Structures are given as C-alpha cells and as structure tokens.
Amino acid sequence: MSVATIVSQSTPSGFSAIGIIRLSGDKATKIAANLSNKKTVLKHKKATIRPVFIKKRLVDEAIFTAFFSPKSYTGEDVVEISCHGNPLICKTIINTARHHGLRIAEPGEYTKRAFLNGKLSLSQAESVSLLISSRTKKALKINMQNLGGKNEERVIELKERLVDTLSL
C-alpha cells in the first residue's frame, strides 16, 4: 500500500520573513526538484539555495533542505522549503505541489507518521501536541521531558519495579 505524499505550511500563515513548506513521502524530493527546476540531487541535511518556479515563472528563491528516510522526523523522505513568508508565495507553492499529486497534510499528520514509522513513542507523539499548546513554563518543561523520553524512562523503571515486587 502506497502512502500519499503530503504538503503543508509548517509556519503560521501571514506575512513574515520566512514561510516553511514541508513535503513528506516518496514524492517529496521529486516535487522539490520540479519546483526548483533543478536536476541536481538534494543532499541529506544540507541546505541549498534554489529558485522556485511555478509554470516556468520564477516566483521566489528559497532554501531547500532534505531529510532522507529513515533519518527524518517522519521516517520518510522530507523536504523543507524555506521561502519568503508572503502568503501568496506559500499558497502558490502548496497549490503547485497539490497539482503534482500531493495532498494537504491533516493536523498532526507529520507526528502521526513519525509514530507509525517508529520514530516516536505514543507518549512522545502526544507530547508534541501538548508542547505546541503549552501555556506555562512548567507545561513546556514537562512536555519537553516527555519528548526526550525522560518521563517514559521513569514509567518503565516503575513498571519493572512493580512487576518485581508483585512476583515476590
């Protein structure tokens, strides 16, 4: 079963210096090459400045960064396009990616894919959402610990001690 390649804007929509468009899936690097009109292959974790073409018209110059499977957040091929944060530019890049067969990512789908591909535990995946919505410093700290696996290690240790105690 083939999993769809997804696209979305990772930064908040609106006017800003930078807008980040993320692509994840088998077609991510191919679509990035089409957008930049470049045949040269992106390198893992190496940022490269490339033009962005839409229908053969130059619309921006952006930084393309590839993260190849399995060493990416989702465990799939991922390309992040850091373009100028004009909503029209971001929307145009996303719409062009959709035209090439990508679909818009659902909320939390990148993290869901990371969980399904064994990159995050369920506890860590849930902590991503909680971290994003944290409103206090204490909540930030706890959710960062969860993401790092620190709290999960404590639970596993307690579970092992409890099993040992019960077996006695």
Side-chain angles (χ1 to χ4, degrees), residues 112-129:
K112 177 182 176 183
R113 287 177 179 219
F115 168 70
L116 292 173
N117 289 323
K119 303 298 285 183
L120 295 174
S121 68
L122 181 58
S123 174
Q124 289 171 314
E126 290 172 342
S127 293
V128 172
S129 175

Side-chain angles (χ1 to χ4, degrees), residues 108-149:
E109 187 168 3
Y110 293 99
T111 300
K112 177 182 176 183
R113 287 177 179 219
F115 168 70
L116 292 173
N117 289 323
K119 303 298 285 183
L120 295 174
S121 68
L122 181 58
S123 174
Q124 289 171 314
E126 290 172 342
S127 293
V128 172
S129 175
L130 294 171
L131 178 68
I132 291 168
S133 63
S134 293
R135 297 191 183 271
T136 66
K137 287 181 183 179
K138 183 165 179 110
L140 284 172
K141 181 180 176 184
I142 290 169
N143 289 309
M144 278 305 297
Q145 287 175 341
N146 284 344
L147 273 174

